[in-house]
Every structure is written in structure tokens, then in C-alpha cells.
Amino acid sequence: MTTRNLVLAEAETWLRTPYHHMGRIKGAGVDCATLLLEVFHAVGIIPKIDVGYYPQDWHFHRDEERYLGWISQYARRTETPRPGDIALFKFGRCVSHGAIVTDWPGVIHSYFQLGCVYGNANDRELAGRLDSFWTLFEE
């Protein structure tokens, strides 16, 4: 199994986990940032990362690219998303939502009121909000 497939398999184990701000417990609660951190750590791509406290609505009140800053420490931009890559979305004034690409525009993400679900970047809450794609893979 390729590392990309391992990322997708791990992300799928989080499906149906309720949304919980700053949650990091499979089956109990996770948000979009902690989902990415836990999945990529479980597969061995990144170390365990503590991003500290962040208010749930931080992205509505500032222009600081806090979420993008976390991603850019471990990933690089890519133009064409592949399975296991990250899609970033803007809510408010900055990048504030991330999802794991399954088969673009398909994603797995944790979203307020939905929890961790399969999603489509062209539907409902994500439509028109795509900012960029990022990869943690060398190939």
C-alpha cells in the first residue's frame, strides 16, 4: 500500500467522528485542523504537533494566515491535487479550513454540524471557497 493510500485509509477511520473544536479523539471529536494533524501523524509523515489554543472563530476577525502557516511548515503547494494531498479553503478573511483529497473534487474533512464526512468541493459549504492545494509527498 502506498503512503498516499495509507493516508486515505487512516482518514476513512475518522469518518462519522463528530465535529468538536480542537478535538483529537477518533469517534469522539475532531475539527478540520486536528483531523489533518492526526491522520498525517498516524501514518508517520509528521511528528505529533501541538498547535496550542485557537478560538473557534479566529478566522473571522483577522487577516493572519495562521492555518496556512501550520500547513506550510510541512507541505508545499501543488497545482494538481492527488489522493492524500490537502485542499485549503477560505472562510472569513483567511485560509481556515482544510480537507484531505480523495479523488478531486472529493475530500474527507471535518465540518461544523457535519462532523468528519466525505465531501465534494463543488457542493454546499465548500463551493467557491477553494484557496490552494498542498502536498506532503515528494513524488
Side-chain angles (χ1 to χ4, degrees):
M1 189 178 266
T2 69
T3 306
R4 286 180 182 277
N5 289 339
L6 290 172
V7 167
L8 295 179
E10 177 62 24
E12 287 175 342
T13 70
W14 286 81
L15 290 170
R16 293 177 299 286
T17 296
Y19 177 89
H20 189 278
H21 175 64
M22 293 185 64
R24 294 181 92 141
I25 301 172
K26 193 183 300 184
V30 69
D31 68 20
C32 68
T34 54
L35 173 66
L36 300 179
L37 293 172
E38 291 301 314
V39 167
F40 288 106
H41 171 70
V43 176
I45 296 175
I46 62 172
K48 189 75 165 176
I49 298 169
D50 178 6
V51 295
Y53 175 76
Y54 50 98
Q56 191 164 4
D57 63 350
W58 63 268
H59 55 285
F60 289 121
H61 306 293
R62 55 183 52 179
D63 296 321
E64 177 188 351
E65 289 288 359
R66 180 183 225 169
Y67 199 111
L68 187 57
W70 296 333
I71 297 293
S72 64
Q73 290 179 48
Y74 297 94
R76 62 181 168 75
R77 281 185 188 262
T78 185
E79 294 300 315
T80 306
R82 295 179 57 200
D85 287 340
I86 298 170
L88 295 181
F89 301 85
K90 276 192 173 187
F91 285 80
R93 300 187 326 205
C94 55
V95 169
S96 54
H97 186 69
I100 297 171
V101 174
T102 55
D103 184 18
W104 188 253
V107 296
I108 293 175
H109 67 131
S110 183
Y111 192 76
F112 181 72
Q113 296 181 338
L114 297 177
C116 187
V117 296
Y118 284 110
N120 184 307
N122 297 322
D123 290 343
R124 298 183 310 254
E125 66 278 349
L126 299 179
R129 297 183 180 277
L130 179 66
D131 178 77
S132 55
F133 298 112
W134 295 73
T135 189
L136 286 88
F137 302 96
E138 294 303 319
E139 77 274 350

